[in-house]
Amino acid sequence: DTTVAATYARSGTTITITSNGHGLNNDDTIIADFTSGGATNGWYTVANKTTNTFEVTDTASGTISAGATLRYMGRMCSS
């Protein structure tokens, strides 16, 4: 698996990650290292995926403006 750099925003516990052409599917698992903005590092399940974005649910709540950065590695578990 490859580590990918991306950006994100958080509203409440919902983190929306922007990663062009990410290739993930709903229910895939990623491990995320949030390098700015303060979201919680850890394992997440992909939800609400589109071509260039997907959502994960943080254990913490709050607002983080768009453009915060992370690195993630995905494990494609679903079809």
Side-chain angles (χ1 to χ4, degrees):
D1 291 326
T2 303
T3 302
V4 178
T7 60
Y8 76 97
R10 182 176 71 191
S11 177
T13 59
T14 301
I15 298 173
T16 302
I17 297 172
T18 301
S19 179
N20 293 338
H22 55 76
L24 296 168
N25 289 302
N26 291 333
D27 298 321
D28 284 348
T29 301
I30 66 164
I31 186 166
D33 174 18
F34 293 94
T35 54
S36 74
T40 308
N41 295 337
W43 291 95
Y44 289 93
T45 300
V46 172
N48 300 318
K49 69 106 178 174
T50 67
T51 301
N52 296 321
T53 66
F54 59 93
E55 294 178 352
V56 297
T57 301
D58 199 347
T59 56
S61 182
T63 300
I64 299 172
S65 299
T69 58
L70 76 147
R71 297 191 65 76
Y72 73 89
M73 183 180 304
R75 276 198 339 208
M76 296 176 191
C77 302
S78 62
S79 55

